[in-house]
Amino acid sequence: MPSLADKIAIITGASSGIGRAAARLFAAEGARLVLCARGKAELAATADEITRAGGVAVPVAGDVKSEEVARKLVDKACEEFGGLDIAFNNAGTMGEMVPVPEISVAGWRETIDTNLTSAFLAAKYQVPAMLERGGGSLIFTSTFVGHTVGFPNLGAYAAGKAGLVGLMQVIAAEFGAQGIRANALLPGGTDTPMGRSVINTPEIRSFVEGLHALKRLAEPEEIARSALFLASDASSFMTGSALMVDGGVSINRT
Ligand SMILES: NC(=O)c1ccc[n+]([C@@H]2O[C@H](COP(=O)([O-])OP(=O)(O)OC[C@H]3O[C@@H](n4cnc5c(N)ncnc54)[C@H](OP(=O)(O)O)[C@@H]3O)[C@@H](O)[C@H]2O)c1
């Protein structure tokens, strides 16, 4: 039996990279999906691909910074499929890549809103819907940056992503007794459009790969498999955790 049979899930950032890989995998494991990203065409392409492969996915194009979109995603899951069991809150942005004193105030706010306030807005609507079903699993995509590594030029990104871990822990404590689990997923460098926007020369790629104990970047599917673990009953006693799937970037010193 597929590990997400009869489950209903929201996945944000589903048109690319980790979110797209997770959408394909969750659908193959039997989940019915509500997918979100801003770009309509790319999101529709992901949903179409899943449908052609025999899965169930509906696209809801929108910006995760918007409370209206957070509400709409949950409403869609409830109207279309009857409720919500899983939320993979994965959309994110790196923002301005400059030292902290040079980050513009607008840029700081944009990055924090996209990476952290979006998670609060998501949980605000997702938790009540999950409570209606007697529980659920929330997963927030964080990163090693700001958790175990102070990577230069990523101040707003690190702050927002570290904030996700705190928010996740509080949700886990507040709603564990009612069957809701909340965890964060902390990928290492992953070969996606976001990853490649920074790792854009062979020299930088070789440098970044070398930071990892495994001496390579992750494929998005490898991160998606860990999201599936957190979404499914395979992780039934896991809540409040920051799961590092980082190729050893956090412990590597060579
Ligand atoms: N790649 C890495 O090395 C790495 C490492 C650690 C953590 N992460 C985290 O993993 C997550 C996924 O990143 P990725 O590498 O898969 O990046 P990606 O391939 O660039 O995908 C990002 C996805 O998020 C969507 N998105 C971005 N801003 C959005 C917004 N405001 N509202 C709605 N959707 C939005 C994008 O679509 P639209 O642009 O069309 O909206 C796209 O679907 C991010 O949270 C990132 O911080 C990535």
Side-chain angles (χ1 to χ4, degrees):
M1 174 130 116
S3 61
L4 300 184
D6 302 324
K7 299 291 186 190
I8 301 155
I10 290 170
I11 300 178
T12 68
S15 64
S16 176
I18 293 167
R20 185 165 195 217
R24 288 188 189 127
L25 182 60
F26 284 24
E29 289 295 326
R32 286 166 289 165
L33 305 176
V34 175
L35 306 179
C36 175
R38 290 165 302 180
K40 250 189 182 166
E42 295 82 357
L43 189 66
T46 305
D48 287 349
E49 185 193 341
I50 288 170
T51 308
R52 280 198 305 276
V56 181
V58 293
V60 175
D63 193 320
V64 293
K65 298 193 297 294
S66 152
E67 180 177 0
E68 193 44 47
V69 168
R71 188 197 333 247
K72 214 162 130 185
L73 291 171
V74 173
D75 286 350
K76 192 74 177 172
C78 294
E79 285 158 16
E80 197 90 11
F81 304 128
L84 180 67
D85 303 300
I86 295 159
F88 183 28
N89 296 306
N90 164 74
T93 184
M94 281 200 288
E96 293 175 14
M97 294 187 60
V98 290
V100 169
E102 293 167 36
I103 301 174
S104 69
V105 173
W108 170 271
R109 291 198 170 121
E110 169 72 19
T111 307
I112 295 291
D113 280 356
T114 303
N115 292 338
L116 180 58
T117 309
S118 66
F120 153 67
L121 294 172
K124 186 173 173 63
Y125 292 96
Q126 291 165 358
V127 167
M130 288 180 181
L131 290 174
E132 295 270 316
R133 304 263 288 178
S137 173
L138 293 131
I139 303 142
F140 300 96
T141 307
S142 180
T143 169
F144 65 96
V145 178
H147 188 72
T148 52
V149 178
F151 217 94
N153 297 334
L154 286 172
Y157 184 70
K161 293 291 189 178
L164 280 180
V165 174
L167 175 68
M168 169 280 290
Q169 289 176 349
V170 171
I171 295 167
E174 285 177 341
F175 296 101
Q178 289 150 281
I180 290 188
R181 299 187 296 112
N183 293 286
L185 181 58
L186 279 60
T190 307
D191 198 359
T192 66
M194 180 189 282
R196 287 192 292 273
S197 70
V198 191
I199 304 164
N200 51 13
T201 68
E203 292 73 29
I204 295 175
R205 187 176 180 106
S206 159
F207 169 72
V208 176
E209 286 176 346
L211 296 174
H212 297 72
L214 293 179
K215 303 301 172 200
R216 66 176 179 85
L217 301 178
E219 292 302 323
E221 289 74 16
E222 295 181 279
I223 308 302
R225 285 198 292 274
S226 300
L228 173 63
F229 168 67
L230 292 174
S232 75
D233 287 345
S235 61
S236 55
F237 200 58
M238 200 165 160
T239 195
S241 288
L243 179 65
M244 292 194 287
V245 187
D246 72 352
V249 72
S250 298
I251 54 86
N252 191 51
R253 292 292 177 276
T254 59

